[in-house]
Amino acid sequence: MAFKILLVDDEADNREVMKSLLEREHFQVITAARAEEAFEAAAENRPDAVLSDVVLPRASGVSLCRRLRGDRRTASLPVVLISGLQKDAATQAQALEAGADDYLVKPVDGRLLAARLRSLLRRCAVAPPAQRLRSGSLRLDLDARTARAAGRTLHLTRKEFDLLVLLMQRSGRVLSSAFLLESVWGY
């Protein structure tokens, strides 16, 4: 089964090149030119991941990422941001803090991009769907990617949620930092 990627880029030529590259790597690709259009496509088409340029008209890729993270329908989507203009560490850090799972600098080799997407998608598929975990007053809904403690909703980043899932699934075991870094961050 091919993974479905939502590709967001406002430049038609870039969009077509990236789409062709991803399709050669056996991804199914849907496209959008603007952040608003991308958000609607993500909510309606349920892609496996979003690959978005950072520089978009009206709303940036970082803003799109924040919006995706803030909506229950799209909060669990893996998001990779990519840019040829915004290469500085501060912008990359801001994107990751906003909830992006990865940040790539153009130009990116096609096989490397495909490998990074597949790696990210493998890591995101750790928990089986429609599963719930419970420990004391802490409750996790893995399908909806929501967390509640003492009746209050917890607002967690993707990595925080994934780390909490892993710790709860392996409750009572000592987990090395190397294992956590590999399992949650993919290092």
Side-chain angles (χ1 to χ4, degrees):
M1 179 181 134
F3 289 113
K4 187 184 339 178
I5 305 297
L6 171 58
L7 172 63
V8 188
D9 197 312
D10 62 318
E11 295 185 28
D13 291 343
N14 287 347
R15 223 176 21 252
E16 286 308 310
V17 168
M18 293 290 285
K19 180 179 181 188
S20 175
L21 184 148
L22 291 170
E23 287 175 341
R24 272 195 312 267
E25 291 290 334
H26 309 290
F27 288 97
Q28 180 184 350
V29 182
I30 53 178
T31 62
R34 295 179 326 278
E36 183 62 35
E37 177 186 350
F39 179 78
E40 295 304 321
E44 292 172 18
N45 296 303
R46 315 262 320 172
D48 295 302
V50 175
L51 174 62
S52 177
D53 192 22
V54 173
V55 180
L56 298 170
R58 289 188 225 143
S60 71
V62 175
S63 297
L64 171 62
C65 184
R66 281 192 189 103
R67 185 164 181 207
L68 290 168
R69 292 289 178 251
D71 189 287
R72 183 177 182 164
R73 298 170 297 167
T74 57
S76 65
L77 277 176
V79 177
V80 176
L81 295 177
I82 186 167
S83 182
L85 299 174
Q86 305 272 329
K87 298 179 182 183
D88 61 288
T91 300
Q92 292 180 42
Q94 177 190 18
L96 295 170
E97 290 293 330
D101 295 286
D102 203 351
Y103 192 107
L104 303 173
V105 175
K106 292 179 188 176
V108 178
D109 177 76
R111 288 187 357 209
L112 176 61
L113 174 61
R116 299 279 288 262
L117 284 169
R118 285 189 191 100
S119 175
L120 175 62
L121 290 164
R122 275 194 310 273
R123 286 194 313 273
C124 293
V126 170
Q131 187 178 359
R132 297 176 196 279
L133 295 175
R134 181 178 165 189
S135 178
S137 70
L138 180 60
R139 307 225 187 310
L140 298 182
D141 182 331
L142 303 182
D143 189 35
R145 293 188 64 84
T146 58
R148 296 184 60 80
R152 294 180 39 206
T153 299
L154 303 176
H155 300 286
L156 304 174
T157 67
R158 178 180 227 358
K159 295 294 184 196
E160 290 169 339
F161 186 85
D162 292 344
L163 181 60
L164 192 53
V165 167
L166 185 64
L167 293 172
M168 289 179 73
Q169 287 175 332
R170 289 172 172 77
S171 177
R173 297 182 198 162
V174 176
L175 305 176
S176 71
S177 58
F179 176 78
L180 296 174
L181 287 169
E182 170 66 29
S183 300
V184 177
W185 283 270
Y187 296 145

